Amino acid sequence: MEVYLDNSATTKVCAAACEAAVSAMKTVYGNPSSLHRLGFEAEKLVTQSRKQIAGALSCSPDELYFTSGATESNNLAIRGLTAAYPRIGRKIVTTTIEHPSVSETVESLCSTGYEVIKISPDSDGNFSPDAFAEAVDENTALVTFMLVNNEVGVLLPAAEICKAVKRKNPNTLIHIDAVQGFCKVPFRSDRILADTISISGHKIYAPKGVGGLYLKKGVRLKPAQTGGGQEKGLRSGTESVPLIAAFGAAVAETYPNMENNQTHYRQLREHLKKRLMNQPEIVMNSPENAVPYICNFSVRGIRSEIMLHFLEQSGIYVSSGSACAKGKPSPVLAAMGIPKERADSALRISFSPETTISDIDLLLDGLNNGISSLQKMR
Ligand code: PMP
């Protein structure tokens, strides 16, 4: 038995994406830059995938660039925008709950003379667009924030934040890390005043190692590497045709089902919450208005890793927070004012369209067993 409830860390590749990757490896193995038929066919696959993904982002296919994943996209956007526009200013505004691929990239720019201002959520985990507007001034080069937080599922009001920022300083550039929201919550690049947006394949049932960066038409970016000039010179390196084809196939399957999936996630979360609330040991960490597919709670008195490995013995896989922050205390829970002891016992459950009510029941049984046997051992 396997109950996989760690879909925010990564997802199982869907059948359509598997088939697309295998078929590309077996039959469309040319280099998209080659001038012969096999090269042309490989390029056609990349073009098709670009169209599929651009459709889901509501952008033009020429505004989408393929990368190796969102860590690269976030680095490329933050470093590339600040390097291309050195005269806008020396301040960067971000939040205290970013993924390390954003927070550490921003931090690293401090040594080149940037000042970083970090905005914290309120105790409910919410961010007000006004807080961003207040932090932005005539010297702000970049605002970078996430659409959905990977640990607790906070959904930031992206459109409103962008409006407030651009109203305060129209020159300030905006980057959004949309990894945990893409194809999961409604989000249109053409309705949001962002200059760059990161997405990743492996969070939406495509393989690991492929991602994308939306770059608004007319906005420039300094590339991170020199080379063969692929992706219009923005990201040199031979395109991974199988991974790109799989990314397109995963998006084509996931995006049209977004609303149905949301309804499904809400049912799962209601079921989980109703039964968790009966447990005096459990306290919710995800705010009331979090996305329905990420649920973070603490089991009082039992450290996350202990419960995680207990559940694993029954084939139930959860996260002790963010897989990317392995072993480190969660700055996200701290930013929300959650005391250390409670943060140390936090578990994150994240759903996929394949998650069933009976998976949730197995998790609840596992938690009950864990609470009674692990508390006895203390
Ligand atoms: N941003 C967020 C919010 C994430 O959750 C992740 C993955 N954990 C990343 C960026 C990095 O994505 P990738 O694994 O594709 O590099």
Side-chain angles (χ1 to χ4, degrees), residues 69-71 74 99 101 146 148 150 177 179-180 200 202-203 324:
T71 296
N74 285 336
H99 184 268
S101 57
M146 62 193 350
V148 171
N150 47 311
D177 173 353
V179 168
Q180 297 285 353
S200 179
H202 75 103
K203 309 289 183 180
C324 305

Side-chain angles (χ1 to χ4, degrees), residues 24-35:
M25 284 187 281
K26 283 188 170 165
T27 56
V28 194
Y29 50 84
N31 184 326
S33 299
S34 294
L35 298 179

Side-chain angles (χ1 to χ4, degrees), residues 90-200:
R90 303 307 280 177
K91 276 191 195 165
I92 299 176
V93 173
T94 187
T95 79
T96 48
I97 65 163
E98 296 303 309
H99 184 268
S101 57
V102 168
S103 59
E104 295 197 9
T105 306
V106 164
E107 227 38 79
S108 77
L109 290 176
C110 289
S111 64
T112 61
Y114 282 91
E115 181 195 343
V116 179
I117 296 161
K118 291 187 182 174
I119 298 173
S120 285
D122 63 22
S123 55
D124 294 329
N126 294 318
F127 286 87
S128 104
D130 291 345
F132 285 82
E134 270 164 40
V136 168
D137 62 19
E138 70 286 348
N139 195 23
T140 307
L142 176 72
V143 172
T144 173
F145 65 93
M146 62 193 350
L147 177 62
V148 171
N149 175 263
N150 47 311
E151 288 189 50
V152 289
V154 169
L155 173 66
L156 278 80
E160 290 77 15
I161 292 173
C162 292
K163 247 190 250 161
V165 167
K166 295 277 186 186
R167 205 180 296 136
K168 186 80 180 283
N169 183 351
N171 294 327
T172 298
L173 296 158
I174 302 178
H175 172 61
I176 300 180
D177 173 353
V179 168
Q180 297 285 353
F182 178 56
C183 287
K184 293 180 179 176
V185 296
F187 176 77
R188 296 183 60 108
S189 63
D190 60 351
R191 300 256 169 91
I192 283 182
L193 300 170
D195 297 284
T196 50
I197 298 169
S198 294
I199 55 174
S200 179

Side-chain angles (χ1 to χ4, degrees), residues 196-219:
T196 50
I197 298 169
S198 294
I199 55 174
S200 179
H202 75 103
K203 309 289 183 180
I204 54 150
Y205 323 103
K208 293 143 192 72
V210 63
L213 182 68
Y214 157 85
L215 173 66
K216 194 196 201 118
K217 210 168 273 172
V219 179

